[in-house]
Amino acid sequence: MPELPEVETIRRQLEPKLVGAEIVDAGSHWSEKFTPALEAVGAEIFRLRRRGKYLLIDVTDLGGTPQELIIHLGMTGQLAVEAQSGSAHLGDPYLRAWWRLADGRYFTFHDVRRFGRIHLVAPGDHATIPTLAALGPEPFDDEFDGRHLAAFVKKSNRHLKTILLGQRAVAGVGNIYADEALWAAGINPATRRLSVDRAAVLVETIRDALRSGLEHGGTTLRDYVDSDGHQGSNQHELFCYGRGGEPCVRCGAVLRRRELDGRTTTWCPTCQTR
DNA sequence: CCAGCAGCCTGAAAGC
DNA sequence: TGCTTTCAGGCTGCTG
């Protein structure tokens, strides 16, 4: 499940391969989730950015007008740049979009579950992408601090973990890193209250969890691979996510697992307090 | 405006 | 063995 560390890993790999490339042809799955890929024909790529879990590809269209090609990987999305000779994408039933580059290479988007999406918009025009338009601060920005997070929790009636997954309080955190950060902070995911001091601790454990993901090239539990097709190794660094029924390495209690607002959640009933 | 939740997807794994 | 059920889950859009 690509969250911030996975998308950032891919962005860093793609940037040197794609900057300067010109898109000369494109194809896509029939779904409107993917057909905007076709509108990028004629565009030249000049920068790759990331906001939360969104990859933002800055391009210049045929008339020299800047545009943003936006890709969200959903759950199973994979991006790659393939040499023409490779043609690994030919006959791939899960290829949802492809862009042929002027030098013959292909930029491909493979997505088994089709939860991913592609958009082409004027720079910064995110009105049609509500989550992106309302995205909270990047987790490593100074703006994301204990006061900011505590204020968000105070004005909402939702469970803390659900707020973290909502992308408005902070961008880029998904189920894996939310469970890890809450465990590391010793905070119960179902709480609806959070002091500024405890929020400040959580801000730091969110950063720690994401940093670990980045340092280990992402977390591969099922489908995630980077743009070179390699799995991440952060799954070996997890203390909480996916460990329901196992002893907590901090206190020895058995980690519990249940659904919270529709999302599988693992936590320690003893050392994660409200 | 907000909270809650169904629906989107499909392969892998578990259950029968 | 083979069929059926469950599970994973980020985001959208509908309902109350």
Side-chain angles (χ1 to χ4, degrees):
Chain A
M1 304 129 255
E3 305 179 29
L4 184 152
E6 290 75 26
V7 178
E8 179 62 20
T9 297
I10 290 168
R11 188 199 69 78
R12 291 176 185 176
Q13 292 176 329
L14 290 178
E15 187 165 51
K17 296 180 180 178
L18 291 181
V19 168
E22 185 192 345
I23 296 169
V24 295
D25 196 10
S28 85
H29 183 271
W30 53 265
S31 166
E32 289 178 15
K33 293 176 180 179
F34 307 108
T35 52
L38 308 176
E39 300 165 27
V41 173
E44 183 176 337
I45 298 169
F46 68 91
R47 187 169 58 174
L48 274 75
R49 293 176 293 139
R50 179 196 53 73
R51 271 290 278 141
K53 304 171 194 173
Y54 292 86
L55 184 65
L56 309 177
I57 303 178
D58 293 306
V59 304
T60 306
D61 71 13
L62 278 174
T65 306
Q67 304 273 2
E68 268 180 22
L69 177 62
I70 300 174
I71 300 176
H72 193 293
L73 298 173
M75 282 195 58
T76 56
Q78 301 176 350
L79 294 169
V81 177
E82 300 169 2
Q84 184 178 26
S85 58
S87 297
H89 56 283
L90 294 177
D92 173 359
Y94 305 116
L95 186 74
R96 306 309 183 190
W98 55 265
W99 297 268
R100 186 161 61 86
L101 308 177
D103 62 9
R105 292 177 302 158
Y106 283 81
F107 177 33
T108 61
F109 182 31
H110 169 110
D111 182 16
V112 171
R113 252 174 205 150
R114 285 198 258 155
F115 275 32
R117 272 169 194 267
I118 296 170
H119 306 263
L120 188 74
V121 301
D125 179 13
H126 301 155
T128 56
I129 314 166
T131 302
L132 178 57
L135 206 60
E138 286 293 314
F140 293 104
D141 281 358
D142 291 343
E143 185 192 339
F144 181 56
D145 62 11
R147 186 167 304 194
H148 168 92
L149 181 55
F152 240 92
V153 174
K154 192 169 187 176
K155 74 180 183 189
S156 169
N157 288 317
R158 317 195 81 174
H159 298 115
L160 174 57
K161 181 182 171 186
T162 306
I163 293 170
L164 294 180
L165 296 181
Q167 307 300 305
R168 287 169 169 260
V170 59
V173 176
N175 208 26
I176 297 170
Y177 297 103
D179 275 4
E180 288 300 297
L182 286 162
W183 178 87
I187 298 173
N188 191 292
T191 188
R192 298 180 198 264
R193 299 166 53 85
L194 190 66
S195 70
V196 173
D197 286 352
R198 298 192 88 199
V201 172
L202 182 55
V203 164
E204 290 309 318
T205 60
I206 287 170
R207 289 175 173 154
D208 290 344
L210 296 172
R211 209 177 279 122
S212 175
L214 277 166
E215 285 170 4
H216 295 92
T219 302
T220 299
L221 292 161
R222 294 170 193 86
D223 305 284
Y224 170 72
V225 292
D226 66 22
S227 70
D228 294 323
H230 298 136
Q231 299 190 342
S233 64
N234 195 59
Q235 60 276 14
H236 304 303
E237 313 295 324
L238 303 179
F239 293 99
C240 181
Y241 179 90
R243 291 186 174 273
E246 296 180 29
C248 172
V249 301
R250 191 165 47 203
C251 76
V254 176
L255 295 178
R256 198 167 290 171
R257 193 183 110 126
R258 76 168 171 101
E259 205 167 274
L260 179 68
D261 298 330
R263 309 302 302 279
T264 302
T265 298
T266 304
W267 81 104
C268 175
T270 303
C271 62
Q272 284 180 257
T273 62
R274 299 195 183 220

